[in-house]
Amino acid sequence: MPRMTLFRRLLQRRHLTTYEAFSAQFERAAVRLADLAGDPRLASVRLSSRQFDRWYGGELQTLPRPDACRVLEHMLGRPVSELFSAADDHASRDRDETLTAPGHQQPPMPRGVPLRADDESPMDIVSRAQQLTTGNADEPTLAFLDSSLEGIIARYELDGPYALRPQTRQLRQFAHTLLDGRQPPRARQELFRLAARASGLLGYMAVNTGDFALADAYGTEARNLSHAIDDVETELWADGTLSFSLYYAGRYADADACAAAAVDRAPRSAQAIRLLANGRARALAKMGQRTSAALALERALELSALHDVPAGLTPCISFEPYGHARTLANAVTAHVSLGNVDQVLSDAQQIDDLVEHSDSAWSRSLVRLDVSTALLQQSSPDLDHAMSLGREALALCGDAPIRSVWQRARDLYEQATPWRNQPSVGEYGEELRVWSSQPAALAVSHSRAM
């Protein structure tokens, strides 16, 4: 049975009973102490989960190393010799210190006024108020979560979902662990927002890896958490990701309905740009609803002007509103489905320079695949150019394929069926076969339905 030490009791009071929650606070304490003590070495002090388990279980044979002791004493305000001794040895001293601490003196009772049996102790009232206004998520913790999520967004199109998924899962779990504790209202609301966004990112990654069941679960969690705190922007973004997942699962009517319901809730929101262009227009085009798709794209561009969005190609996974080039890239995809060849080539030309100078290899690949398909839809198909662009698209993704590239690359080959005996189509088909046989491409090809 674990030994009840003062260390264990203090961690229970502060809701730091998991390795993830404690180590985050421990590392921040190490950084603060390094600055205060002028000893940079202390900033790199870390502990393993095995060390934490021994400390928390009271199983120490000897005290921790000196640097770890210094960080612990700075973090918890007690000598290490006391922290790892039995908690009962300090119970009476804790009560005495609480009663004599500044701001916690028991007010004297007026003479002649008896204390009724049903009165609460003033000390209990003050102590409870302090518990309710403090918590396990301070400003540095919330800032750490926020900056970590922003870092994942910034690196996503370079590193991809497989590399960033583990870190995103850890951040989501950390936020959930903190939510199991206590925070004042503003901190709790921010934790809900951050937890929702971590879930949303995982949902988007699941679409890119072809796991639509997981995408639906994460997306629904993100929507519910953001709805609980009236965070409309994150809720609409989550709806957009759910629609995005339905689209690549081939459920076009559901994708449109999901996006349309979200737009109806906040028709003038900047998030509606993505819902209209990525959610509605592309799904409507797949269903052949030409007029409705055109209206959705027209409204998306009107909102882009209203909100003065950036001209460039915003990151695909960003929570910020779609930039103008990102919206036009989605318009290109919709026009391909409708067979609007001239519009595809015109829009692609308009954003060509922005796409080519972006960090997004996926976007460069997807636009090439859309243009390739349009070249085959012309009255006089430009077969060699189309297949050349298709090969470039595969090379751009290299060993980091995502579901959308895999799907459109296969669609292009299907479109080229009438010319399978032509050398350029054969070359593209062989490169597609080799590219599709790599482990990462095989993984995205085996989708899990919703």
Side-chain angles (χ1 to χ4, degrees), residues 345-416:
L345 299 179
S346 173
D347 287 349
Q349 180 62 36
Q350 188 175 339
I351 61 174
D352 180 68
D353 188 60
L354 292 169
V355 171
E356 291 305 302
H357 288 89
S358 75
D359 292 332
S360 177
W362 298 327
S363 296
R364 295 199 296 275
S365 178
L366 289 167
V367 171
R368 278 170 169 77
L369 290 168
D370 282 342
V371 171
S372 299
T373 302
L375 292 173
L376 295 182
Q377 293 172 343
Q378 295 180 120
S379 55
S380 299
D382 191 343
L383 189 64
D384 290 344
H385 189 194
M387 295 299 100
S388 174
L389 288 175
R391 293 195 300 274
E392 286 179 19
L394 296 178
L396 280 167
C397 277
D399 57 357
I402 55 174
R403 177 74 185 192
S404 52
V405 172
W406 175 86
Q407 196 159 309
R408 287 193 220 174
R410 290 176 59 83
D411 289 347
L412 175 62
Y413 191 54
E414 290 298 317
Q415 189 85 16

Side-chain angles (χ1 to χ4, degrees), residues 172-345:
R172 172 182 171 270
Q173 183 57 51
F174 183 33
H176 282 226
T177 298
L178 293 173
L179 283 168
D180 284 338
R182 178 189 289 121
Q183 306 87 30
R186 282 191 296 274
R188 190 162 184 82
Q189 180 164 338
E190 179 64 4
L191 263 182
F192 261 80
R193 185 185 75 87
L194 294 169
R197 293 195 165 199
S199 298
L201 294 181
L202 286 167
Y204 195 101
M205 292 178 191
V207 180
N208 284 164
T209 58
D211 196 334
F212 302 122
L214 199 59
D216 182 59
Y218 279 132
T220 300
E221 179 177 89
R223 180 171 63 187
N224 291 346
L225 289 174
S226 52
H227 180 75
I229 57 170
D230 294 324
D231 180 0
V232 176
E233 295 300 299
T234 303
E235 185 180 356
L236 294 177
W237 187 94
D239 282 319
T241 301
L242 287 167
S243 174
F244 174 61
S245 180
L246 290 162
Y247 175 85
Y248 278 107
R251 295 170 55 182
Y252 303 123
D254 291 337
D256 175 52
C258 178
V263 172
D264 286 344
R265 290 200 303 277
R268 293 177 64 83
S269 167
Q271 289 292 334
I273 300 168
R274 176 180 180 231
L275 289 161
L276 288 161
N278 185 270
R280 296 213 65 194
R282 299 195 314 168
L284 288 164
K286 280 288 188 181
M287 294 186 290
Q289 297 186 29
R290 185 176 298 275
T291 302
S292 296
L295 288 173
L297 288 173
E298 181 182 346
R299 180 58 183 153
L301 293 171
E302 288 173 357
L303 284 173
S304 296
L306 176 67
H307 290 282
D308 193 23
V309 299
L313 196 72
T314 46
C316 64
I317 203 170
S318 174
F319 289 98
E320 297 300 316
Y322 260 21
H324 186 70
R326 177 66 64 187
T327 301
L328 283 182
N330 281 269
V332 167
T333 304
H335 288 303
V336 167
S337 297
L338 293 169
N340 297 336
V341 175
D342 290 343
Q343 193 66 54
V344 170
L345 299 179

